[in-house]
Amino acid sequence: MFALKWLLMAAGVAMFGTAAGVVGYDVYLAMQFQKLMSSGEPGAAGEVGARRPIFGRAPGGARSPRWSLAMKLFAWAWAPLLLALSMVVIPEGSGGIRVSQISGVQQGTLYPGIHLIVPLVQRVAVYDLRDHLYTTVAAADAPTKNETLTVQSREGLTIGLAVSVRYRLDPQRLAYIHANLAQPVDTEIVAPVVSTAFRDLAPNYVVREVFASKREEFRTKSTKTITDRLGSDGIVVKEVLLRDVHLPVEYAKGLEGLLLKEQESERMEFETEISAKHVRIAELQAEAAKAQQVKRSEADAASRVIGAKAEADAMQYTLPLKQKQIEQSRLEAEARKEATVQNADAAAQSKITDSKAEAERRRLLAAADADTTRLAAAANADTIRLTAAANSERLQQEAAVLKQNPMLIQKIIAERLSDKLQIIMVPTDGRNFFASDVLHSAFAGVPAANNTEEPDQVIAAPVHKAMQTAKIK
C-alpha cells in the first residue's frame, strides 16, 4: 500500500507536468509561427503548421494553445494526488491520531497499517509507542551526554543520582497527550517529573540512608511518585532504577575514615570475643579432664570389686560344675559307643542284604541269557530246515522243467553270456566247450548256400577275418 500511495502521487505529478508541457509546446509553436511570418519567407508557415494537427487557429493562421486538453489533464491530475494524500501509513511500533484543521484533535488511535483521511483537511500525528528510556548521570564528569541529576539530603549535602526510567505512551490516550502535553514528551514532561520527584523526596533522608540503609525504600517511594504523576498524563511507567549514588568528596572521605574506624572497632571486639572463648574453652577442657580422671578411678575401683565378687562366687559353683561336666562327658562317651555299635551292626546287615540281592540278580541274568541262547538256536535250526526244504523243492521243480525242455539250459547260458562277450572264438572241433551245442542250435537256420563248410568253420571264418582276439567286458 505504501508503494501504491507513491505511485498515485507520481501519476498525479506526471499529469500536471504533461498539461504544462502541452501548453508550453503550443506556445513555442505559436512563437515560431509568428517569427516565420514576420520574416516573410514563403512556405515556412505551411511547414510549421504541418508539424501537428490543428486544434485551433488564431486569425492569420497562427495556432492557439490547447487549453482545453491542458485543463482536462490538470483536472484529472488532482484525482490520484488527492487519493494518495488521503492514504496514511502508520509504521510498526507506532500509533497516530487524526488532527482536523476544522475540529481539532479527533478521538481514536490509529494503529500500524494504512488509514484513510480527508486530504487537505486532516493530518495524522504519529507517536512512537515502544518503550523509551530516560537516563541521568550522577556526576557532571561522566562520559555520556545525559542530564546530571543532583539532590540535597537532610544535612544539606548535594548528592548525585544515576537514574533510569523505562516508560511508554498509552495508546488509548494519544489524543489527550497530543492536545494537552508539551512536545516532545521526553524532554518536556518526563525529565522534569523525574527530577522533581527525587528532589522532593531526598530531603527526608540523610546521606547514609540514601547511600546504604534505606536505599530501596528511597527508590520505591520515588517510583510510586513518578508512576502516579506520569500515569495521570497517559504515560505508563514500567520501571525506575537507581543505578548509582554519588557522594560529596569531603563526605566520602569522612565516611571512609569512619567506616575504617568502625571496622577496626568491630575487629577488636571480635578478637576479644575470640580470646574470651579460647579461655573458656581451656577451662572447660581442664574441668572435663578432671572429671574424666575421677570417673576413670571410680570405674577402676568398682571393676576390681566386681571382679573379686565374681571370683568368690565362681569358686562356690566351680566344683559342682566340674562334676557335672565330667558326668556329662561320660554319658556322651557311652552314647557314642552305643551309636557306633549300632551303626556297625546296621552296616553288616546292609552288606549281607546287598550280597543276597546281587546273587539273585546274577542268577536271573544267567537264566535269561540261557533262554535267549536256546531260543536263538531253535530259530536258526528252523530257518535252516525251512531254507533246505525250499531249495530242495525248487531244485525238483527246475529238474522237471529241464527234463521237459532240454534246450532251456542252452538258452539260459546264451542269455547270460550275451552281455559279457562281444566276440566269441570257437574251435573248429568244438570239443570240451560247453557252448558248442548252443551255438550249433543258434545257427541251425543259416541257408545252405552259406553252409558249405562245417558249422564251426562257418562261425569261426568271419570271426577270424574281423578280429583275432576276444574282447570280454
Side-chain angles (χ1 to χ4, degrees):
M1 297 302 292
F2 188 75
L4 177 61
K5 176 181 178 180
W6 285 104
L7 183 62
L8 292 173
M9 293 183 67
V13 173
M15 293 177 71
F16 277 120
T18 303
V22 168
V23 173
Y25 182 69
D26 288 345
V27 171
Y28 171 76
L29 290 179
M31 291 175 64
Q32 291 293 326
F33 182 78
Q34 292 295 333
K35 183 178 179 180
L36 292 174
M37 290 296 293
S38 62
S39 64
E41 296 179 1
E47 294 178 359
V48 174
R51 295 181 182 179
R52 51 173 290 275
I54 299 174
F55 286 88
R57 285 184 180 273
R63 295 174 177 80
S64 62
R66 289 172 288 179
W67 295 109
S68 60
L69 178 60
M71 292 302 294
K72 290 179 181 179
L73 290 174
F74 185 80
W76 282 103
W78 282 104
L81 282 178
L82 292 177
L83 184 58
L85 292 175
S86 65
M87 299 169 60
V88 177
V89 179
I90 306 298
E92 293 291 335
S94 302
I97 55 171
R98 292 185 177 92
V99 181
S100 175
Q101 303 295 333
I102 300 174
S103 59
V105 179
Q106 297 182 355
Q107 297 296 326
T109 302
L110 303 178
Y111 292 96
I114 188 167
H115 302 274
L116 298 178
I117 62 173
V118 179
L120 304 178
V121 177
Q122 294 179 343
R123 65 181 180 87
V124 175
V126 180
Y127 288 89
D128 190 357
L129 299 181
R130 291 170 293 189
D131 289 351
H132 297 261
L133 187 66
Y134 171 72
T135 304
T136 64
V137 294
D141 56 352
T144 60
K145 296 181 180 180
N146 296 325
E147 179 184 354
T148 303
L149 177 60
T150 57
V151 296
Q152 288 186 346
S153 65
R154 186 187 300 172
E155 304 97 321
L157 298 176
T158 301
I159 306 172
L161 299 179
V163 178
S164 294
V165 180
R166 188 161 69 95
Y167 65 94
R168 66 179 180 87
L169 301 180
D170 188 358
Q172 302 295 330
R173 303 187 64 185
L174 286 183
Y176 174 83
I177 293 172
H178 184 79
N180 298 281
L181 301 184
Q183 304 295 328
V185 177
D186 297 343
T187 57
E188 298 295 333
I189 302 298
V190 177
V193 170
V194 173
S195 302
T196 303
F198 279 101
R199 285 169 181 159
D200 292 343
L201 189 61
N204 298 325
Y205 297 90
V206 298
V207 176
R208 184 162 186 155
E209 292 175 347
V210 175
F211 179 72
S213 60
K214 295 183 179 181
R215 183 169 181 170
E216 183 61 25
E217 179 184 340
F218 178 70
R219 187 195 68 80
T220 304
K221 289 184 177 181
S222 61
T223 300
K224 186 177 183 305
T225 302
I226 294 170
T227 303
D228 294 341
R229 290 183 181 179
L230 294 179
S232 62
D233 292 331
I235 301 174
V236 180
V237 177
K238 290 187 173 181
E239 191 176 14
V240 177
L241 302 176
L242 181 58
R243 304 192 320 272
D244 189 19
V245 177
H246 183 69
L247 301 176
V249 179
E250 295 79 5
Y251 184 84
K253 292 181 180 179
L255 182 62
E256 184 179 358
L258 181 61
L259 292 175
L260 291 175
K261 290 181 180 179
E262 289 181 355
Q263 291 178 358
E264 184 66 21
S265 176
E266 291 177 357
R267 186 179 64 80
M268 292 297 293
E269 292 178 359
F270 184 70
E271 290 180 353
T272 302
E273 291 179 0
I274 291 176
S275 300
K277 289 180 180 180
H278 286 168
V279 173
R280 181 60 180 167
I281 290 172
E283 292 177 356
L284 294 175
Q285 288 178 351
E287 291 178 359
K290 180 179 178 181
Q292 289 178 358
Q293 187 66 28
V294 172
K295 293 293 184 181
R296 191 179 297 109
S297 300
E298 293 177 356
D300 291 341
S303 63
R304 290 178 182 176
V305 171
I306 292 171
K309 290 182 179 180
E311 289 179 358
D313 294 337
M315 291 299 295
Q316 294 178 3
Y317 297 100
T318 301
L319 292 176
L321 289 175
K322 292 291 184 182
Q323 291 177 357
K324 290 182 180 180
Q325 290 178 356
I326 293 170
E327 184 67 20
Q328 184 177 359
S329 300
R330 184 178 62 79
L331 293 175
E332 290 177 354
E334 291 178 357
R336 285 195 296 271
K337 181 178 178 181
E338 291 179 0
T340 303
V341 172
Q342 292 177 359
N343 291 334
D345 293 341
Q349 191 68 24
S350 176
K351 288 181 179 180
I352 293 171
T353 302
D354 294 341
S355 299
K356 290 180 179 180
E358 182 66 20
E360 183 66 18
R361 185 180 66 81
R362 291 180 179 178
R363 186 183 63 78
L364 293 175
L365 289 175
D369 291 340
D371 293 339
T372 302
T373 303
R374 186 178 65 257
L375 293 174
N380 291 333
D382 292 339
T383 301
I384 293 170
R385 180 172 50 77
L386 294 174
T387 302
N391 292 332
S392 176
E393 185 178 356
R394 182 176 58 80
L395 292 175
Q396 290 176 2
Q397 292 176 357
E398 289 178 355
V401 171
L402 292 175
K403 184 176 181 182
Q404 294 175 2
N405 300 308
M407 296 302 293
L408 184 60
I409 297 175
Q410 297 176 2
K411 180 179 179 296
I412 293 171
I413 293 173
E415 289 177 353
R416 292 186 178 180
L417 292 178
S418 62
D419 59 343
K420 301 297 183 180
L421 299 177
Q422 293 181 350
I423 298 173
I424 300 175
M425 297 179 67
V426 181
T428 56
D429 54 0
R431 296 176 181 178
N432 298 325
F433 185 68
F434 68 91
S436 177
D437 297 334
V438 176
L439 294 175
H440 279 292
S441 25
F443 291 96
V446 177
N450 295 331
N451 198 8
T452 56
E453 298 177 1
E454 293 182 1
D456 295 340
Q457 294 176 354
V458 172
I459 297 171
V463 173
H464 283 288
K465 292 179 182 179
M467 187 177 291
Q468 299 297 329
T469 57
K471 295 181 180 180
I472 302 173
K473 293 183 180 179

PDB file of all heavy atoms in Angstrom, residues 424 426 428 453-468:
ATOM      1  N   ILE A 424      33.107-114.132 -29.838  1.00  0.00           N
ATOM      2  CA  ILE A 424      33.354-115.480 -29.321  1.00  0.00           C
ATOM      3  C   ILE A 424      34.108-116.269 -30.411  1.00  0.00           C
ATOM      4  O   ILE A 424      33.691-116.340 -31.568  1.00  0.00           O
ATOM      5  CB  ILE A 424      32.037-116.191 -28.997  1.00  0.00           C
ATOM      6  CG1 ILE A 424      31.255-115.399 -27.947  1.00  0.00           C
ATOM      7  CG2 ILE A 424      32.281-117.611 -28.521  1.00  0.00           C
ATOM      8  CD1 ILE A 424      29.883-115.954 -27.648  1.00  0.00           C
ATOM      9  N   VAL A 426      35.363-119.880 -31.361  1.00  0.00           N
ATOM     10  CA  VAL A 426      35.053-121.283 -31.051  1.00  0.00           C
ATOM     11  C   VAL A 426      36.003-122.173 -31.854  1.00  0.00           C
ATOM     12  O   VAL A 426      36.195-121.954 -33.065  1.00  0.00           O
ATOM     13  CB  VAL A 426      33.597-121.615 -31.406  1.00  0.00           C
ATOM     14  CG1 VAL A 426      33.285-123.057 -31.062  1.00  0.00           C
ATOM     15  CG2 VAL A 426      32.654-120.663 -30.687  1.00  0.00           C
ATOM     16  N   THR A 428      37.318-125.295 -34.057  1.00  0.00           N
ATOM     17  CA  THR A 428      36.618-125.974 -35.157  1.00  0.00           C
ATOM     18  C   THR A 428      36.034-127.309 -34.728  1.00  0.00           C
ATOM     19  O   THR A 428      34.953-127.709 -35.154  1.00  0.00           O
ATOM     20  CB  THR A 428      37.579-126.203 -36.322  1.00  0.00           C
ATOM     21  OG1 THR A 428      38.712-126.934 -35.864  1.00  0.00           O
ATOM     22  CG2 THR A 428      38.021-124.880 -36.891  1.00  0.00           C
ATOM     23  N   GLU A 453      30.685-125.075 -45.466  1.00  0.00           N
ATOM     24  CA  GLU A 453      31.670-125.589 -44.518  1.00  0.00           C
ATOM     25  C   GLU A 453      30.946-126.133 -43.312  1.00  0.00           C
ATOM     26  O   GLU A 453      29.742-126.031 -43.184  1.00  0.00           O
ATOM     27  CB  GLU A 453      32.626-124.472 -44.112  1.00  0.00           C
ATOM     28  CG  GLU A 453      33.412-123.916 -45.299  1.00  0.00           C
ATOM     29  CD  GLU A 453      34.299-122.758 -44.860  1.00  0.00           C
ATOM     30  OE1 GLU A 453      34.277-122.446 -43.655  1.00  0.00           O
ATOM     31  OE2 GLU A 453      35.003-122.175 -45.698  1.00  0.00           O
ATOM     32  N   GLU A 454      31.692-126.602 -42.356  1.00  0.00           N
ATOM     33  CA  GLU A 454      31.113-127.101 -41.123  1.00  0.00           C
ATOM     34  C   GLU A 454      30.609-125.930 -40.292  1.00  0.00           C
ATOM     35  O   GLU A 454      31.091-124.804 -40.440  1.00  0.00           O
ATOM     36  CB  GLU A 454      32.167-127.881 -40.344  1.00  0.00           C
ATOM     37  CG  GLU A 454      32.589-129.161 -41.053  1.00  0.00           C
ATOM     38  CD  GLU A 454      33.598-129.936 -40.246  1.00  0.00           C
ATOM     39  OE1 GLU A 454      33.930-129.454 -39.111  1.00  0.00           O
ATOM     40  OE2 GLU A 454      34.026-130.979 -40.662  1.00  0.00           O
ATOM     41  N   PRO A 455      29.683-126.209 -39.392  1.00  0.00           N
ATOM     42  CA  PRO A 455      29.136-125.085 -38.597  1.00  0.00           C
ATOM     43  C   PRO A 455      30.187-124.372 -37.825  1.00  0.00           C
ATOM     44  O   PRO A 455      30.164-123.166 -37.724  1.00  0.00           O
ATOM     45  CB  PRO A 455      28.128-125.779 -37.682  1.00  0.00           C
ATOM     46  CG  PRO A 455      27.721-127.000 -38.421  1.00  0.00           C
ATOM     47  CD  PRO A 455      28.904-127.462 -39.186  1.00  0.00           C
ATOM     48  N   ASP A 456      31.092-125.123 -37.296  1.00  0.00           N
ATOM     49  CA  ASP A 456      32.137-124.445 -36.515  1.00  0.00           C
ATOM     50  C   ASP A 456      32.952-123.549 -37.404  1.00  0.00           C
ATOM     51  O   ASP A 456      33.345-122.432 -37.031  1.00  0.00           O
ATOM     52  CB  ASP A 456      33.041-125.486 -35.851  1.00  0.00           C
ATOM     53  CG  ASP A 456      32.265-126.300 -34.832  1.00  0.00           C
ATOM     54  OD1 ASP A 456      31.186-125.794 -34.382  1.00  0.00           O
ATOM     55  OD2 ASP A 456      32.715-127.370 -34.459  1.00  0.00           O
ATOM     56  N   GLN A 457      33.257-124.025 -38.634  1.00  0.00           N
ATOM     57  CA  GLN A 457      34.078-123.211 -39.512  1.00  0.00           C
ATOM     58  C   GLN A 457      33.297-122.031 -40.030  1.00  0.00           C
ATOM     59  O   GLN A 457      33.830-120.946 -40.238  1.00  0.00           O
ATOM     60  CB  GLN A 457      34.562-124.087 -40.681  1.00  0.00           C
ATOM     61  CG  GLN A 457      35.512-125.185 -40.233  1.00  0.00           C
ATOM     62  CD  GLN A 457      35.892-126.092 -41.398  1.00  0.00           C
ATOM     63  OE1 GLN A 457      35.358-125.962 -42.496  1.00  0.00           O
ATOM     64  NE2 GLN A 457      36.827-127.021 -41.144  1.00  0.00           N
ATOM     65  N   VAL A 458      31.968-122.165 -40.285  1.00  0.00           N
ATOM     66  CA  VAL A 458      31.133-121.037 -40.747  1.00  0.00           C
ATOM     67  C   VAL A 458      31.119-119.936 -39.717  1.00  0.00           C
ATOM     68  O   VAL A 458      31.162-118.744 -40.028  1.00  0.00           O
ATOM     69  CB  VAL A 458      29.721-121.521 -41.039  1.00  0.00           C
ATOM     70  CG1 VAL A 458      28.809-120.352 -41.326  1.00  0.00           C
ATOM     71  CG2 VAL A 458      29.739-122.474 -42.197  1.00  0.00           C
ATOM     72  N   ILE A 459      31.021-120.275 -38.466  1.00  0.00           N
ATOM     73  CA  ILE A 459      31.002-119.263 -37.391  1.00  0.00           C
ATOM     74  C   ILE A 459      32.362-118.661 -37.215  1.00  0.00           C
ATOM     75  O   ILE A 459      32.535-117.455 -37.026  1.00  0.00           O
ATOM     76  CB  ILE A 459      30.513-119.910 -36.084  1.00  0.00           C
ATOM     77  CG1 ILE A 459      29.070-120.390 -36.262  1.00  0.00           C
ATOM     78  CG2 ILE A 459      30.603-118.940 -34.953  1.00  0.00           C
ATOM     79  CD1 ILE A 459      28.573-121.219 -35.109  1.00  0.00           C
ATOM     80  N   ALA A 460      33.423-119.491 -37.316  1.00  0.00           N
ATOM     81  CA  ALA A 460      34.769-119.007 -36.987  1.00  0.00           C
ATOM     82  C   ALA A 460      35.365-118.213 -38.100  1.00  0.00           C
ATOM     83  O   ALA A 460      36.197-117.342 -37.867  1.00  0.00           O
ATOM     84  CB  ALA A 460      35.663-120.192 -36.661  1.00  0.00           C
ATOM     85  N   ALA A 461      35.016-118.446 -39.416  1.00  0.00           N
ATOM     86  CA  ALA A 461      35.663-117.743 -40.525  1.00  0.00           C
ATOM     87  C   ALA A 461      35.439-116.258 -40.464  1.00  0.00           C
ATOM     88  O   ALA A 461      36.392-115.483 -40.570  1.00  0.00           O
ATOM     89  CB  ALA A 461      35.170-118.355 -41.845  1.00  0.00           C
ATOM     90  N   PRO A 462      34.206-115.780 -40.368  1.00  0.00           N
ATOM     91  CA  PRO A 462      34.037-114.310 -40.259  1.00  0.00           C
ATOM     92  C   PRO A 462      34.724-113.757 -39.033  1.00  0.00           C
ATOM     93  O   PRO A 462      35.217-112.643 -39.050  1.00  0.00           O
ATOM     94  CB  PRO A 462      32.526-114.123 -40.163  1.00  0.00           C
ATOM     95  CG  PRO A 462      31.948-115.346 -40.711  1.00  0.00           C
ATOM     96  CD  PRO A 462      32.898-116.453 -40.409  1.00  0.00           C
ATOM     97  N   VAL A 463      34.746-114.536 -38.012  1.00  0.00           N
ATOM     98  CA  VAL A 463      35.394-114.037 -36.785  1.00  0.00           C
ATOM     99  C   VAL A 463      36.866-113.858 -37.011  1.00  0.00           C
ATOM    100  O   VAL A 463      37.460-112.863 -36.612  1.00  0.00           O
ATOM    101  CB  VAL A 463      35.106-115.011 -35.624  1.00  0.00           C
ATOM    102  CG1 VAL A 463      35.888-114.632 -34.419  1.00  0.00           C
ATOM    103  CG2 VAL A 463      33.622-115.022 -35.324  1.00  0.00           C
ATOM    104  N   HIS A 464      37.565-114.812 -37.683  1.00  0.00           N
ATOM    105  CA  HIS A 464      38.990-114.669 -37.948  1.00  0.00           C
ATOM    106  C   HIS A 464      39.250-113.505 -38.853  1.00  0.00           C
ATOM    107  O   HIS A 464      40.314-112.872 -38.767  1.00  0.00           O
ATOM    108  CB  HIS A 464      39.532-115.988 -38.565  1.00  0.00           C
ATOM    109  CG  HIS A 464      39.710-117.051 -37.523  1.00  0.00           C
ATOM    110  ND1 HIS A 464      40.704-117.014 -36.586  1.00  0.00           N
ATOM    111  CD2 HIS A 464      39.034-118.218 -37.307  1.00  0.00           C
ATOM    112  CE1 HIS A 464      40.629-118.092 -35.826  1.00  0.00           C
ATOM    113  NE2 HIS A 464      39.626-118.855 -36.243  1.00  0.00           N
ATOM    114  N   LYS A 465      38.343-113.193 -39.805  1.00  0.00           N
ATOM    115  CA  LYS A 465      38.560-112.050 -40.674  1.00  0.00           C
ATOM    116  C   LYS A 465      38.413-110.735 -39.930  1.00  0.00           C
ATOM    117  O   LYS A 465      39.102-109.784 -40.216  1.00  0.00           O
ATOM    118  CB  LYS A 465      37.551-112.093 -41.833  1.00  0.00           C
ATOM    119  CG  LYS A 465      37.788-113.249 -42.797  1.00  0.00           C
ATOM    120  CD  LYS A 465      36.758-113.231 -43.893  1.00  0.00           C
ATOM    121  CE  LYS A 465      36.968-114.421 -44.851  1.00  0.00           C
ATOM    122  NZ  LYS A 465      35.953-114.443 -45.932  1.00  0.00           N
ATOM    123  N   ALA A 466      37.494-110.646 -38.993  1.00  0.00           N
ATOM    124  CA  ALA A 466      37.256-109.360 -38.301  1.00  0.00           C
ATOM    125  C   ALA A 466      38.243-109.122 -37.197  1.00  0.00           C
ATOM    126  O   ALA A 466      38.786-108.014 -37.080  1.00  0.00           O
ATOM    127  CB  ALA A 466      35.835-109.330 -37.726  1.00  0.00           C
ATOM    128  N   MET A 467      38.459-110.095 -36.376  1.00  0.00           N
ATOM    129  CA  MET A 467      39.333-109.880 -35.217  1.00  0.00           C
ATOM    130  C   MET A 467      39.868-111.203 -34.755  1.00  0.00           C
ATOM    131  O   MET A 467      39.169-112.181 -34.808  1.00  0.00           O
ATOM    132  CB  MET A 467      38.512-109.223 -34.100  1.00  0.00           C
ATOM    133  CG  MET A 467      39.354-108.791 -32.922  1.00  0.00           C
ATOM    134  SD  MET A 467      38.329-107.959 -31.718  1.00  0.00           S
ATOM    135  CE  MET A 467      37.983-106.479 -32.658  1.00  0.00           C
ATOM    136  N   GLN A 468      41.086-111.208 -34.326  1.00  0.00           N
ATOM    137  CA  GLN A 468      41.760-112.426 -33.930  1.00  0.00           C
ATOM    138  C   GLN A 468      41.718-112.640 -32.437  1.00  0.00           C
ATOM    139  O   GLN A 468      42.189-113.643 -31.944  1.00  0.00           O
ATOM    140  CB  GLN A 468      43.235-112.393 -34.416  1.00  0.00           C
ATOM    141  CG  GLN A 468      43.369-112.295 -35.906  1.00  0.00           C
ATOM    142  CD  GLN A 468      42.799-113.502 -36.655  1.00  0.00           C
ATOM    143  OE1 GLN A 468      42.828-114.627 -36.120  1.00  0.00           O
ATOM    144  NE2 GLN A 468      42.254-113.274 -37.825  1.00  0.00           N
TER     145      GLN A 468
END
